[in-house]
Amino acid sequence: MSVSTAAAAQSVCAPLPVLGRDVTVPLVTGGEVTYAALDYAASAPALQRVWDDVAAYAPYYGSVHRGAGYLSQLSTDLFENARRTVAEFLDCRADDQVVFTRSTTDSLNLLAAALPADCQVFVFETEHHASLLPWQDARVSYLDAPRTPQQAVQTLERALADRDPHGPALVCVTGASNVTGELWPVRELAAAAHAHGARIVLDAAQLAPHHPVSVQDLDVDWVAFSGHKLYAPFGSGVLAGRADWLRAAEPYLAGGGASRKVTRRADGGVDVEWHESAARHEAGSPNVIGAYAVASACKALTEAGFDTLVARERHLIDTVRAGLAEVPEVRVLSLFGDAAPRVGVISFVVDGWNSSHFAAALSAEYGIGVRDGLFCAHPLVRTLLGSDPQAQGECGAPEAAPGEKSLNAIRVSFGAGTPDEHVERFVKAVKELVRHGAKWQYRTEEGRCVPVV
């Protein structure tokens, strides 16, 4: 092997340093083990780079935009530079706005509040609740789950062809499913939307941490994502895209920072002139730490190189999928089939096991953290499980006791900070649990399956 080839192979195998990589947790069977964090789709651990950048800035923290002091000026520059960094990360258009929010959910609710009057919204039932639910005050059409990427495009085209061609319309679509990890045909869906006079917003919460996202290449009108899924868990999110609807809408929150000028009227009321920039929807003191953390994560992922990150993640995906395929009792959930490209998110059920019981055993006996439930994507998981659409089921809090049938699944998810050992331990644990059963007794407590102590 040449030196260059060896270096490339090493780069594919080396995870990015994250906080918590050396944390040990107790096992119910005795002893401790290094924690295997395999719930990245919920919240990814902070990159060490992000933590270091935030720690270096923290002593210089100050109020932004209106402070005359040195720290305020420095913090303002840092906050606005973070906005520019995010715009570069997303390859935004020159006139796009980048609005800092609290999360993907917050971003999409902001956009929902900015919809023009009589706007019709089209959203697949397969969306996470963050992108499924904000549109209920609009004329919303929920589209059935497609079984191929081509069917997704065809379904959208038919729905758009039947809409009122004179009114505004918006399509909301995920980039990568938080349940199956499968990539959606975003570019083709955007083309279909624009061909019918509609706009499109991309929920990139699960896509941006794993793949490059280019607003211009995908030709989407807006992108939303969360910092806590992008290795920057400090309570910040992003809505980036076209400015016109945002400028025309009432501020998402009314208050200082969003207002440019406030005057009293003769009748005792007040007149307000709102900002037209992103500040219009960023009332109050902004989350400077959160915005800076997001920008730091954007830089770290860009510098690491998505080609390298994608190649390494594909190796982890192949390891998990190959291991699960060796267990006949395991059924992996999928919309588009085994050959569909995907990110490091895999959901499955195990014959004869309550999913909460299985997840609890992985944690208590192997030190592996996964997710079980409906993953805040109830219609999609019910479709994949072939269950009654009206059946009861809670997001992440299944009610069935160990051994009982449950309306929920198990999700394993990973990313740039995941060592090979974590996914290898997971595969081994699945095989041992299916073959030999749990070593411990478990009971249901407040809707969760927990070990008996």
Side-chain angles (χ1 to χ4, degrees), residues 168-179:
L170 178 71
V171 175
C172 180
V173 67
T174 189
S177 171
N178 78 303
V179 176

Side-chain angles (χ1 to χ4, degrees), residues 219-239:
D219 197 21
V220 294
D221 298 281
W222 292 277
V223 171
F225 70 86
S226 294
H228 73 100
K229 298 185 191 299
L230 197 78
Y231 311 99
F234 292 93
S236 192
V238 167
L239 176 66

Side-chain angles (χ1 to χ4, degrees), residues 88-169:
E88 292 173 1
F89 179 74
L90 295 174
D91 189 27
C92 288
R93 297 165 290 257
D95 55 351
D96 283 343
Q97 284 188 352
V98 173
V99 181
F100 285 115
T101 66
R102 294 179 299 170
S103 59
T104 306
T105 302
D106 198 35
S107 296
L108 293 172
N109 276 272
L110 188 165
L111 184 59
L115 295 180
D118 204 32
C119 185
Q120 188 170 4
V121 178
F122 298 85
V123 56
F124 287 93
E125 67 172 353
T126 48
E127 294 291 313
H128 183 279
H129 293 174
S131 48
L132 183 74
L133 301 181
W135 322 106
Q136 295 185 85
D137 289 337
R139 291 191 299 145
V140 58
S141 297
Y142 297 105
L143 309 179
D144 292 340
R147 286 300 184 168
T148 66
Q150 296 77 16
Q151 188 180 64
V153 177
Q154 293 165 0
T155 299
L156 179 61
E157 287 179 332
R158 286 195 298 269
L160 290 172
D162 291 339
R163 80 175 186 92
D164 178 358
H166 302 295

Side-chain angles (χ1 to χ4, degrees), residues 146-150 152 180 182-185 334-342:
R147 286 300 184 168
T148 66
Q150 296 77 16
T180 68
E182 293 164 320
L183 299 180
W184 277 61
S334 174
L335 272 177
F336 299 155
D338 290 343
R342 65 195 70 230

